[in-house]
Amino acid sequence: MSAATGVGSLPGGAALASEADNARDYAEAVRLVLGELPDLPHVPELPARGAGATMTGRALAVVEGLACDLQPTGWRLTDAPGVDQRRARSLLARDLDCVEELTQGWSGPAKTQVAGPWTLAATTELPRGEKVLSDPGARRDLAQALAEGVRAHVADLRRRLPGVTELLLQVDEPALPVVLAGGVPTASGFGRHRTVHPPEASEVLGWVFSAIEAAGAVPIVHSCHPDVPVGLLRGAGARGLSVDVGVLAPAAYDGLAEAAEAGEWVLLGAVPALAAAENGETERSVTERVLRMLDMTGIEPGERTLVTPTCGLAGADPAHARRALSLARAAAGALR
């Protein structure tokens, strides 16, 4: 039986809004997810609330043993935790309090998300201002801090959500293909950071995936890049893949099929996040898009084949976001 879930982010909240208003927006997002995605709800993210709610800020709220703070150019490692990191941790805790409260009596599989080590290294700065990606020692320290953090994060979620039968932890790695290709710009903008070779990329990812599994969750990876390195991710220990069917390069099809054949999770982003209403998307059009991908890859739909919107719902109109989740659920139902 196919099901639907979300990628993670949703519209709502604002950086200058009051704490009470942002709390109400977050509670509404949780209710939306539970209502539209009852078979596999996810912990929603509302990045419009500010830097502490973005993908990078959220992950730096999870890391253990490394301090950081927010600078005009973005998040930067520091000697001691800054006020912005403390705020990010407080925001995450309040969000999880809300999820815990609104899921009382609920049971079933669920999903949450965290930025992966390579995307984090490409979006976080060293004290001197260059990206963590530029320093092999620092990027390994950051990855190990993330691995320790996800252990505690999964344990916290397990405690808060006793009805969860299977917890998926989605590791977001939109920057990984660019990191592997040596395409991340330096601070000056005039150069590019050196290519990270696959063996090192795999080893670092493996630390995080192993920590997730040891904590009792299932590591899956989301990337909306066309050149998702499926083989590298699976070799590092990923037990599922989340992709955008509209942009995925054919070179990834075989690896995706092998993942499905191995009983791993396959999440197919088939509902355009920003155009579900304007482009006249319907249950039929989304279902046909999924069926074309299944036909091209030879994947048979099953309980671990999920339909999702594409990433980017944080920038959608709330009504469009609701419709996108509804279409994903309807298409998953049609696949049954």
Side-chain angles (χ1 to χ4, degrees), residues 45-58 75 88 91 95:
E45 301 169 352
L46 273 59
R49 293 177 295 171
T54 63
M55 178 172 60
T56 299
R58 203 80 158 171
W75 287 98
L91 180 62
D95 287 351

Side-chain angles (χ1 to χ4, degrees), residues 14-41:
L16 299 179
S18 69
E19 184 176 309
D21 286 342
N22 276 330
R24 280 193 293 270
D25 282 352
Y26 191 78
E28 179 57 32
V30 175
R31 293 188 186 98
L32 172 64
V33 167
L34 292 172
E36 296 293 343
L37 306 171
D39 294 324
L40 208 158

Side-chain angles (χ1 to χ4, degrees), residues 167-188:
L167 179 62
L168 308 185
L169 202 165
Q170 174 183 299
V171 178
D172 290 320
E173 278 289 13
L176 177 59
V178 185
V179 168
L180 293 171
V184 177
T186 58
S188 68

Side-chain angles (χ1 to χ4, degrees), residues 43-334:
V43 176
E45 301 169 352
L46 273 59
R49 293 177 295 171
T54 63
M55 178 172 60
T56 299
R58 203 80 158 171
L60 292 173
V62 169
V63 298
E64 292 279 355
L66 280 184
C68 62
D69 200 8
L70 192 62
Q71 303 295 319
T73 53
W75 287 98
R76 181 176 292 183
L77 299 183
T78 55
D79 292 332
V83 63
D84 295 298
Q85 187 179 27
R86 292 195 295 271
R87 286 173 176 165
R89 287 174 172 164
S90 177
L91 180 62
L92 176 59
R94 291 198 304 271
D95 287 351
L96 296 182
D97 287 343
C98 179
V99 172
E100 181 180 5
E101 178 183 351
L102 294 178
T103 54
Q104 293 294 317
W106 168 87
S107 65
K111 180 173 78 69
T112 191
Q113 309 80 221
V114 69
W118 293 110
T119 292
L120 205 54
T123 55
T124 306
E125 296 177 350
L126 294 165
R128 63 178 182 270
E130 195 52 86
K131 298 295 185 187
V132 171
L133 186 63
S134 67
D135 185 325
R139 65 200 191 200
R140 285 173 171 258
D141 289 345
L142 182 57
Q144 290 172 348
L146 178 62
E148 286 304 310
V150 297
R151 291 177 189 270
H153 186 52
V154 170
D156 185 33
L157 281 167
R158 284 287 191 186
R159 177 184 60 80
R160 292 174 178 273
L161 307 174
V164 169
T165 56
E166 187 166 23
L167 179 62
L168 308 185
L169 202 165
Q170 174 183 299
V171 178
D172 290 320
E173 278 289 13
L176 177 59
V178 185
V179 168
L180 293 171
V184 177
T186 58
S188 68
F190 295 111
R192 295 290 184 271
H193 289 289
R194 292 181 179 179
T195 297
V196 172
H197 297 293
E200 182 187 357
S202 178
E203 180 186 25
V204 168
L205 287 164
W207 296 338
V208 177
F209 297 161
S210 295
I212 293 170
E213 284 203 296
V218 180
I220 67 173
V221 178
H222 169 74
S223 177
C224 51
H225 196 281
D227 300 316
V228 180
V230 174
L232 185 152
L233 294 170
R234 295 187 65 227
R239 297 294 176 257
L241 300 161
S242 174
V243 299
D244 183 339
V245 302
V247 303
L248 187 66
Y253 289 0
D254 286 346
L256 202 64
E258 290 171 2
E261 290 173 3
E264 297 167 7
W265 295 85
V266 174
L267 284 64
L268 301 175
V271 185
L274 300 180
E278 297 95 323
N279 289 355
E281 292 289 343
T282 64
E283 175 186 333
R284 180 174 180 177
S285 66
V286 175
T287 304
E288 288 176 348
R289 188 174 296 119
V290 175
L291 288 174
R292 282 196 299 273
M293 176 56 66
L294 295 177
D295 182 60
M296 288 187 291
T297 57
I299 295 174
E300 292 291 334
E303 63 180 10
R304 294 193 173 186
T305 306
L306 308 182
V307 181
T308 76
T310 60
C311 56
L313 275 183
D317 178 273
H320 297 174
R322 181 180 294 274
R323 177 166 169 75
L325 298 185
S326 177
L327 285 173
R329 180 185 179 187

